[in-house]
Amino acid sequence: MSAQNDTKIRQLYSDIDEELNKVPFGCIWPRFHKFDYALYTKELICLPSKVIPANLVQNKKKLFDFEGKRYILWNAKHSKAPIQDVASDLVHKMFHVFQYTRNEMRIPDEKKGLNYPDNAKNYYLKLMEGYFLSRAIMTKDTEEKRACFFDFLLKRKQRMKQYGEDLAFEYYIETVEGSAEYCGLKALSYMSEERYWKKLKECCYHMVHDSTLLFNTGQYAAYAGALLLLLAECLQIPVSKEITGNKLTIFEECCKYITEEEKMELLSDECVASISSEETIHKLYEEYIQSQSGSNQKEKKDDELLRICRI
């Protein structure tokens, strides 16, 4: 291994570690802590105190054991982004390890995912949920935040009425991936407030304007779960952060704390708005699954989403 590559990966490790040391892990999530990690390339693996040849670790999975310690393995090729973003993504990965150590039960069942409703009505309602969540996050007005949260609940209630248990797969992703995304975002806020707001705004923007993301159930749910946790924090909704033995999803946790008046309104069918743009969403989805997503077509699709949401 060359001395130049050795120095480069050591410096990268040092830069990431400097950012991670700014993060009060336990304040983001009770009992969460920084995990040991290693950076790797095709040639090298950088540990906290040494650099070793990559061939000493045969199975480069997400976790590996070396000299009696367990490390999260992080590909150094992911480190071309701003260093705070790289450290934030590593926190996301650390939280997944933390979930594993806390015996997370709310794991998405991929078999149930096969029953996920793949139709225009579902995607339209999900798009509107994303719109209200994003609006709730970006507004500074507390009353408007609460109103947007309630509008989100109305749209989700409508989806649940249509599809019931077939949406459970999505809600578990919101919980498991959304919690990790939330921790990554919160960590980023301690490293760089500027990078935090940039990433948060990008997240909100893509949830409403990015047609490709809309049809990516996993990534969309991860963003939704993170925004739900941030919104609950802003509205002082005491969502439980206990992982061990907890069977409730983030969404179910949030629903526990709506008022009785709001519950009565949610039970009223008069609240349920009509669907007027299913054909448009269906057309976008057909284009998406046919993989005809050239740059010009992508812009047209995103323009359609803007029009549907009337933004």
Side-chain angles (χ1 to χ4, degrees), residues 68-186:
K69 294 192 72 173
R70 176 158 289 186
Y71 297 91
I72 296 173
L73 199 56
W74 188 255
N75 194 333
K77 76 176 183 180
H78 297 319
S79 305
K80 295 179 180 179
I83 199 68
Q84 294 90 353
D85 291 9
V86 174
S88 169
D89 290 342
L90 187 49
V91 171
H92 178 123
K93 186 68 67 179
M94 287 179 179
F95 190 77
H96 281 316
V97 176
F98 176 68
Q99 287 171 315
Y100 175 78
T101 65
R102 301 297 299 172
N103 300 313
E104 175 64 80
M105 301 169 60
R106 298 160 294 182
I107 306 299
D109 186 336
E110 292 186 5
K111 290 183 180 179
K112 290 186 178 179
L114 297 175
N115 297 324
Y116 187 76
D118 227 1
N119 60 63
K121 183 177 289 186
N122 177 51
Y123 288 114
Y124 175 68
L125 287 170
K126 186 165 73 166
L127 173 65
M128 296 308 295
E129 289 177 18
Y131 167 68
F132 286 119
L133 267 181
S134 299
R135 184 175 168 185
I137 289 294
M138 297 315 299
T139 183
K140 296 180 180 180
D141 185 272
T142 303
E143 289 187 10
E144 186 178 0
K145 280 185 185 292
R146 184 84 189 183
C148 287
F149 173 61
F150 188 65
D151 286 333
F152 161 80
L153 293 178
L154 287 176
K155 289 301 177 186
R156 180 149 291 189
K157 183 251 184 178
Q158 190 172 353
R159 273 214 297 159
M160 291 174 69
K161 184 177 180 181
Q162 290 283 331
Y163 305 112
E165 287 299 314
D166 289 343
L167 297 177
F169 175 71
E170 181 182 338
Y171 301 161
Y172 283 125
I173 297 175
E174 271 185 0
T175 301
V176 175
E177 287 294 334
S179 297
E181 190 71 19
Y182 162 84
C183 288
L185 279 168
K186 290 292 288 183

Side-chain angles (χ1 to χ4, degrees), residues 101-280:
T101 65
R102 301 297 299 172
N103 300 313
E104 175 64 80
M105 301 169 60
R106 298 160 294 182
I107 306 299
D109 186 336
E110 292 186 5
K111 290 183 180 179
K112 290 186 178 179
L114 297 175
N115 297 324
Y116 187 76
D118 227 1
N119 60 63
K121 183 177 289 186
N122 177 51
Y123 288 114
Y124 175 68
L125 287 170
K126 186 165 73 166
L127 173 65
M128 296 308 295
E129 289 177 18
Y131 167 68
F132 286 119
L133 267 181
S134 299
R135 184 175 168 185
I137 289 294
M138 297 315 299
T139 183
K140 296 180 180 180
D141 185 272
T142 303
E143 289 187 10
E144 186 178 0
K145 280 185 185 292
R146 184 84 189 183
C148 287
F149 173 61
F150 188 65
D151 286 333
F152 161 80
L153 293 178
L154 287 176
K155 289 301 177 186
R156 180 149 291 189
K157 183 251 184 178
Q158 190 172 353
R159 273 214 297 159
M160 291 174 69
K161 184 177 180 181
Q162 290 283 331
Y163 305 112
E165 287 299 314
D166 289 343
L167 297 177
F169 175 71
E170 181 182 338
Y171 301 161
Y172 283 125
I173 297 175
E174 271 185 0
T175 301
V176 175
E177 287 294 334
S179 297
E181 190 71 19
Y182 162 84
C183 288
L185 279 168
K186 290 292 288 183
L188 187 57
S189 71
Y190 289 100
M191 302 174 203
S192 168
E193 191 171 350
E194 180 184 355
R195 296 300 307 167
Y196 167 74
W197 280 108
K198 185 177 188 298
K199 190 168 183 178
L200 186 59
K201 288 175 182 177
E202 286 175 353
C203 174
C204 291
Y205 178 87
H206 287 297
M207 284 196 72
V208 179
H209 299 174
D210 188 342
S211 56
T212 303
L213 179 64
L214 176 64
F215 305 126
N216 184 333
T217 302
Q219 189 58 61
Y220 200 93
Y223 284 167
L227 295 188
L228 265 176
L229 284 169
L230 289 170
L231 184 56
E233 200 172 85
C234 291
L235 295 176
Q236 298 182 329
I237 297 172
V239 172
S240 172
K241 290 186 175 179
E242 182 56 63
I243 294 175
T244 306
N246 191 352
K247 296 182 179 180
L248 294 180
T249 63
I250 292 172
F251 172 62
E252 290 170 321
E253 286 279 358
C254 288
C255 285
K256 288 196 307 185
Y257 298 100
I258 60 176
T259 66
E260 289 301 318
E261 183 180 347
E262 287 169 337
K263 285 180 183 177
M264 291 302 295
E265 193 172 346
L266 283 171
L267 291 172
S268 170
D269 287 334
E270 295 178 5
C271 304
V272 181
S274 62
I275 306 299
S276 61
S277 302
E278 290 179 43
E279 290 184 6
T280 306

Side-chain angles (χ1 to χ4, degrees), residues 9-72:
I9 199 169
R10 283 181 185 272
Q11 185 59 54
L12 178 59
Y13 193 102
S14 176
D15 292 343
I16 292 174
D17 219 45
E18 183 179 348
E19 296 301 327
L20 291 175
N21 288 336
K22 298 175 183 177
V23 179
F25 285 81
C27 293
I28 294 175
W29 202 282
R31 293 183 290 276
F32 185 33
H33 60 87
K34 179 182 172 186
F35 285 81
D36 291 322
Y37 66 97
L39 301 180
Y40 79 94
T41 65
K42 290 182 179 180
E43 299 177 347
L44 305 172
I45 293 178
C46 185
L47 299 164
S49 59
K50 66 171 73 174
V51 176
I52 62 174
N55 60 15
L56 291 184
V57 179
Q58 298 299 323
N59 194 2
K60 296 181 180 60
K61 293 185 176 181
K62 295 176 182 178
L63 293 172
F64 79 102
D65 296 313
F66 185 76
E67 295 183 345
K69 294 192 72 173
R70 176 158 289 186
Y71 297 91
I72 296 173

